[in-house]
Short mmCIF file of all heavy atoms in Angstrom, two decimals:
data_model
loop_
_atom_site.label_atom_id
_atom_site.label_comp_id
_atom_site.label_asym_id
_atom_site.label_seq_id
_atom_site.Cartn_x
_atom_site.Cartn_y
_atom_site.Cartn_z
N ILE A 26 -6.20 1.09 10.90
CA ILE A 26 -6.90 1.56 9.70
C ILE A 26 -7.87 2.67 10.05
O ILE A 26 -7.98 3.69 9.35
CB ILE A 26 -7.66 0.38 9.03
CG1 ILE A 26 -6.69 -0.70 8.58
CG2 ILE A 26 -8.47 0.88 7.83
CD1 ILE A 26 -7.37 -1.99 8.13
N ASN A 27 -8.56 2.49 11.17
CA ASN A 27 -9.52 3.49 11.62
C ASN A 27 -8.82 4.80 11.96
O ASN A 27 -9.31 5.89 11.64
CB ASN A 27 -10.27 2.96 12.84
CG ASN A 27 -11.40 3.87 13.26
OD1 ASN A 27 -12.05 4.49 12.42
ND2 ASN A 27 -11.65 3.95 14.54
N GLN A 28 -7.65 4.72 12.60
CA GLN A 28 -6.90 5.92 12.95
C GLN A 28 -6.48 6.69 11.69
O GLN A 28 -6.65 7.91 11.61
CB GLN A 28 -5.66 5.55 13.77
CG GLN A 28 -4.83 6.77 14.19
CD GLN A 28 -3.55 6.37 14.89
OE1 GLN A 28 -3.13 5.22 14.83
NE2 GLN A 28 -2.91 7.33 15.54
N ILE A 29 -5.95 5.98 10.71
CA ILE A 29 -5.52 6.62 9.46
C ILE A 29 -6.71 7.30 8.78
O ILE A 29 -6.61 8.43 8.29
CB ILE A 29 -4.86 5.59 8.52
CG1 ILE A 29 -3.57 5.05 9.14
CG2 ILE A 29 -4.57 6.22 7.16
CD1 ILE A 29 -2.97 3.87 8.39
N SER A 30 -7.85 6.62 8.75
CA SER A 30 -9.04 7.14 8.07
C SER A 30 -9.57 8.39 8.76
O SER A 30 -9.90 9.38 8.10
CB SER A 30 -10.14 6.08 8.02
OG SER A 30 -9.69 4.92 7.35
N GLN A 31 -9.66 8.35 10.10
CA GLN A 31 -10.23 9.47 10.83
C GLN A 31 -9.34 10.70 10.80
O GLN A 31 -9.82 11.83 10.74
CB GLN A 31 -10.50 9.07 12.28
CG GLN A 31 -11.66 8.11 12.44
CD GLN A 31 -12.08 7.96 13.89
OE1 GLN A 31 -11.96 8.88 14.67
NE2 GLN A 31 -12.57 6.79 14.25
N GLU A 32 -8.02 10.50 10.81
CA GLU A 32 -7.11 11.64 10.87
C GLU A 32 -6.79 12.23 9.50
O GLU A 32 -6.13 13.26 9.42
CB GLU A 32 -5.81 11.22 11.58
CG GLU A 32 -6.03 10.89 13.05
CD GLU A 32 -4.77 10.45 13.76
OE1 GLU A 32 -3.73 10.28 13.07
OE2 GLU A 32 -4.81 10.29 14.98
N ASN A 33 -7.25 11.58 8.43
CA ASN A 33 -6.99 12.08 7.07
C ASN A 33 -8.26 12.05 6.23
O ASN A 33 -8.27 11.51 5.11
CB ASN A 33 -5.89 11.23 6.40
CG ASN A 33 -4.59 11.24 7.17
OD1 ASN A 33 -3.77 12.14 7.03
ND2 ASN A 33 -4.39 10.22 8.00
N GLN A 34 -9.32 12.62 6.78
CA GLN A 34 -10.62 12.54 6.12
C GLN A 34 -10.68 13.34 4.81
O GLN A 34 -11.54 13.08 3.97
CB GLN A 34 -11.73 13.00 7.06
CG GLN A 34 -11.90 12.06 8.25
CD GLN A 34 -13.12 12.39 9.10
OE1 GLN A 34 -14.11 12.89 8.60
NE2 GLN A 34 -13.03 12.11 10.39
N ASP A 35 -9.77 14.32 4.64
CA ASP A 35 -9.74 15.06 3.37
C ASP A 35 -9.15 14.22 2.24
O ASP A 35 -9.38 14.52 1.06
CB ASP A 35 -8.90 16.34 3.52
CG ASP A 35 -9.58 17.37 4.41
OD1 ASP A 35 -10.81 17.31 4.53
OD2 ASP A 35 -8.87 18.21 5.00
N LEU A 36 -8.41 13.19 2.61
CA LEU A 36 -7.72 12.37 1.60
C LEU A 36 -8.31 10.97 1.49
O LEU A 36 -8.55 10.47 0.38
CB LEU A 36 -6.23 12.27 1.96
CG LEU A 36 -5.36 11.37 1.08
CD1 LEU A 36 -5.31 11.91 -0.35
CD2 LEU A 36 -3.96 11.25 1.66
N ILE A 37 -8.56 10.31 2.61
CA ILE A 37 -8.96 8.91 2.63
C ILE A 37 -10.48 8.78 2.71
O ILE A 37 -11.12 9.41 3.55
CB ILE A 37 -8.31 8.16 3.82
CG1 ILE A 37 -6.78 8.33 3.78
CG2 ILE A 37 -8.70 6.69 3.80
CD1 ILE A 37 -6.13 7.79 2.53
N LEU A 38 -11.05 7.94 1.85
CA LEU A 38 -12.48 7.65 1.86
C LEU A 38 -12.70 6.37 2.65
O LEU A 38 -12.60 5.26 2.12
CB LEU A 38 -13.01 7.51 0.43
CG LEU A 38 -14.52 7.30 0.26
CD1 LEU A 38 -15.30 8.46 0.85
CD2 LEU A 38 -14.87 7.12 -1.21
N GLU A 39 -13.01 6.51 3.93
CA GLU A 39 -13.04 5.38 4.87
C GLU A 39 -13.94 4.21 4.44
O GLU A 39 -13.52 3.05 4.52
CB GLU A 39 -13.45 5.90 6.25
CG GLU A 39 -13.39 4.87 7.36
CD GLU A 39 -14.72 4.18 7.57
OE1 GLU A 39 -15.74 4.72 7.12
OE2 GLU A 39 -14.71 3.10 8.16
N PRO A 40 -15.16 4.44 3.94
CA PRO A 40 -16.02 3.29 3.60
C PRO A 40 -15.48 2.41 2.48
O PRO A 40 -15.88 1.26 2.35
CB PRO A 40 -17.34 3.96 3.17
CG PRO A 40 -17.32 5.30 3.80
CD PRO A 40 -15.89 5.71 3.80
N LYS A 41 -14.56 2.96 1.66
CA LYS A 41 -14.04 2.21 0.52
C LYS A 41 -12.73 1.49 0.82
O LYS A 41 -12.20 0.78 -0.04
CB LYS A 41 -13.83 3.15 -0.68
CG LYS A 41 -15.12 3.77 -1.22
CD LYS A 41 -15.98 2.73 -1.90
CE LYS A 41 -17.20 3.37 -2.53
NZ LYS A 41 -18.06 2.37 -3.20
N ASN A 42 -12.16 1.67 2.01
CA ASN A 42 -10.94 0.95 2.37
C ASN A 42 -11.19 -0.55 2.33
O ASN A 42 -12.25 -1.02 2.73
CB ASN A 42 -10.46 1.34 3.77
CG ASN A 42 -9.96 2.78 3.82
OD1 ASN A 42 -9.66 3.38 2.79
ND2 ASN A 42 -9.87 3.33 5.02
N ARG A 43 -10.20 -1.30 1.86
CA ARG A 43 -10.39 -2.76 1.74
C ARG A 43 -9.12 -3.49 2.11
O ARG A 43 -8.04 -3.19 1.61
CB ARG A 43 -10.80 -3.12 0.31
CG ARG A 43 -11.22 -4.58 0.14
CD ARG A 43 -11.73 -4.82 -1.26
NE ARG A 43 -10.65 -5.01 -2.20
CZ ARG A 43 -10.14 -6.20 -2.54
NH1 ARG A 43 -10.62 -7.31 -2.00
NH2 ARG A 43 -9.16 -6.29 -3.43
N LEU A 44 -9.27 -4.44 3.03
CA LEU A 44 -8.16 -5.31 3.41
C LEU A 44 -8.25 -6.55 2.54
O LEU A 44 -9.21 -7.32 2.63
CB LEU A 44 -8.26 -5.67 4.89
CG LEU A 44 -7.00 -6.22 5.56
CD1 LEU A 44 -5.86 -5.21 5.49
CD2 LEU A 44 -7.29 -6.60 7.00
N ARG A 45 -7.27 -6.74 1.67
CA ARG A 45 -7.32 -7.87 0.74
C ARG A 45 -7.21 -9.20 1.50
O ARG A 45 -6.45 -9.30 2.46
CB ARG A 45 -6.18 -7.76 -0.27
CG ARG A 45 -6.33 -6.62 -1.26
CD ARG A 45 -5.15 -6.56 -2.21
NE ARG A 45 -5.28 -5.50 -3.20
CZ ARG A 45 -4.35 -5.20 -4.10
NH1 ARG A 45 -3.19 -5.87 -4.11
NH2 ARG A 45 -4.56 -4.22 -4.96
N PRO A 46 -7.96 -10.21 1.08
CA PRO A 46 -7.90 -11.51 1.78
C PRO A 46 -6.56 -12.21 1.56
O PRO A 46 -5.94 -12.06 0.50
CB PRO A 46 -9.05 -12.30 1.14
CG PRO A 46 -9.28 -11.66 -0.19
CD PRO A 46 -8.94 -10.21 -0.02
N THR A 47 -6.12 -12.95 2.57
CA THR A 47 -4.92 -13.79 2.41
C THR A 47 -5.28 -15.03 1.60
O THR A 47 -6.44 -15.27 1.28
CB THR A 47 -4.39 -14.21 3.79
OG1 THR A 47 -5.41 -14.96 4.47
CG2 THR A 47 -4.03 -12.99 4.63
N ARG A 48 -4.27 -15.85 1.32
CA ARG A 48 -4.53 -17.06 0.53
C ARG A 48 -5.47 -18.01 1.25
O ARG A 48 -6.33 -18.63 0.64
CB ARG A 48 -3.20 -17.76 0.23
CG ARG A 48 -2.29 -16.99 -0.71
CD ARG A 48 -0.99 -17.73 -0.96
NE ARG A 48 -0.11 -16.97 -1.85
CZ ARG A 48 1.10 -17.36 -2.20
NH1 ARG A 48 1.57 -18.53 -1.73
NH2 ARG A 48 1.84 -16.63 -3.01
N VAL A 49 -5.29 -18.12 2.57
CA VAL A 49 -6.17 -19.00 3.35
C VAL A 49 -7.61 -18.52 3.26
O VAL A 49 -8.55 -19.30 3.04
CB VAL A 49 -5.71 -19.05 4.83
CG1 VAL A 49 -6.74 -19.77 5.69
CG2 VAL A 49 -4.36 -19.75 4.93
N GLU A 50 -7.81 -17.22 3.44
CA GLU A 50 -9.17 -16.65 3.39
C GLU A 50 -9.78 -16.77 2.00
O GLU A 50 -10.97 -17.05 1.86
CB GLU A 50 -9.12 -15.18 3.82
CG GLU A 50 -8.76 -14.98 5.29
CD GLU A 50 -8.45 -13.54 5.61
OE1 GLU A 50 -7.81 -12.87 4.77
OE2 GLU A 50 -8.84 -13.09 6.70
N GLU A 51 -8.96 -16.57 0.98
CA GLU A 51 -9.49 -16.54 -0.38
C GLU A 51 -9.77 -17.94 -0.93
O GLU A 51 -10.85 -18.19 -1.48
CB GLU A 51 -8.50 -15.81 -1.29
CG GLU A 51 -9.04 -15.59 -2.70
CD GLU A 51 -8.14 -14.67 -3.52
OE1 GLU A 51 -7.06 -14.27 -3.01
OE2 GLU A 51 -8.51 -14.37 -4.66
N TYR A 52 -8.81 -18.86 -0.77
CA TYR A 52 -8.94 -20.17 -1.41
C TYR A 52 -9.66 -21.21 -0.57
O TYR A 52 -10.28 -22.13 -1.11
CB TYR A 52 -7.55 -20.69 -1.80
CG TYR A 52 -6.85 -19.82 -2.83
CD1 TYR A 52 -5.67 -19.16 -2.51
CD2 TYR A 52 -7.41 -19.63 -4.09
CE1 TYR A 52 -5.04 -18.35 -3.43
CE2 TYR A 52 -6.77 -18.82 -5.03
CZ TYR A 52 -5.60 -18.18 -4.69
OH TYR A 52 -4.99 -17.37 -5.62
N ILE A 53 -9.58 -21.10 0.74
CA ILE A 53 -10.23 -22.10 1.60
C ILE A 53 -11.60 -21.63 2.07
O ILE A 53 -12.55 -22.41 2.12
CB ILE A 53 -9.33 -22.44 2.82
CG1 ILE A 53 -7.98 -23.00 2.34
CG2 ILE A 53 -10.03 -23.45 3.73
CD1 ILE A 53 -7.02 -23.35 3.46
N PHE A 54 -11.72 -20.33 2.39
CA PHE A 54 -12.97 -19.83 2.96
C PHE A 54 -13.70 -18.85 2.04
O PHE A 54 -14.58 -18.12 2.47
CB PHE A 54 -12.69 -19.16 4.31
CG PHE A 54 -12.27 -20.13 5.38
CD1 PHE A 54 -10.93 -20.42 5.58
CD2 PHE A 54 -13.21 -20.76 6.17
CE1 PHE A 54 -10.53 -21.32 6.55
CE2 PHE A 54 -12.82 -21.66 7.15
CZ PHE A 54 -11.48 -21.95 7.34
N GLY A 55 -13.31 -18.85 0.77
CA GLY A 55 -14.05 -18.05 -0.21
C GLY A 55 -14.02 -16.55 0.03
O GLY A 55 -14.98 -15.85 -0.29
N GLY A 56 -12.93 -16.05 0.61
CA GLY A 56 -12.81 -14.62 0.85
C GLY A 56 -13.32 -14.16 2.19
O GLY A 56 -13.23 -12.97 2.53
N ARG A 57 -13.85 -15.08 3.00
CA ARG A 57 -14.36 -14.70 4.32
C ARG A 57 -13.22 -14.29 5.24
O ARG A 57 -12.23 -15.01 5.36
CB ARG A 57 -15.11 -15.87 4.93
CG ARG A 57 -15.59 -15.60 6.36
CD ARG A 57 -16.07 -16.87 7.02
NE ARG A 57 -16.15 -16.68 8.46
CZ ARG A 57 -16.37 -17.66 9.32
NH1 ARG A 57 -16.54 -18.89 8.90
NH2 ARG A 57 -16.44 -17.42 10.61
N PRO A 58 -13.29 -13.12 5.90
CA PRO A 58 -12.20 -12.69 6.78
C PRO A 58 -12.10 -13.55 8.03
O PRO A 58 -13.10 -13.91 8.64
CB PRO A 58 -12.59 -11.24 7.14
CG PRO A 58 -14.06 -11.17 6.92
CD PRO A 58 -14.38 -12.13 5.81
N LEU A 59 -10.85 -13.89 8.40
CA LEU A 59 -10.61 -14.74 9.57
C LEU A 59 -9.87 -14.01 10.68
O LEU A 59 -9.78 -14.52 11.79
CB LEU A 59 -9.82 -15.99 9.17
CG LEU A 59 -10.57 -17.04 8.35
CD1 LEU A 59 -9.62 -18.14 7.92
CD2 LEU A 59 -11.72 -17.63 9.14
N ALA A 60 -9.34 -12.84 10.38
CA ALA A 60 -8.63 -12.09 11.42
C ALA A 60 -9.60 -11.72 12.54
O ALA A 60 -10.77 -11.40 12.29
CB ALA A 60 -8.01 -10.83 10.82
N ILE A 61 -9.12 -11.80 13.77
CA ILE A 61 -9.96 -11.49 14.92
C ILE A 61 -10.41 -10.03 14.87
O ILE A 61 -9.59 -9.13 14.70
CB ILE A 61 -9.21 -11.78 16.23
CG1 ILE A 61 -8.95 -13.29 16.37
CG2 ILE A 61 -10.00 -11.28 17.44
CD1 ILE A 61 -8.18 -13.68 17.60
#
């Protein structure tokens, strides 16, 4: 994600990128990210 953002700064707004939570993260942990 960082590579895509840095190499396309004219197009991609890095601070607004969002990785949507999986079902486990959303329903069990209230949206808290669990990926390492």
Side-chain angles (χ1 to χ4, degrees):
I26 298 170
N27 187 35
Q28 180 185 15
I29 295 171
S30 301
Q31 288 192 31
E32 293 179 353
N33 301 276
Q34 294 188 31
D35 291 336
L36 176 65
I37 305 300
L38 184 60
E39 186 267 342
K41 296 290 185 180
N42 291 343
R43 189 174 81 93
L44 197 60
R45 291 179 178 176
T47 60
R48 292 180 181 178
V49 171
E50 293 168 321
E51 187 171 4
Y52 296 117
I53 300 180
F54 292 91
R57 176 191 164 189
L59 288 174
I61 293 178

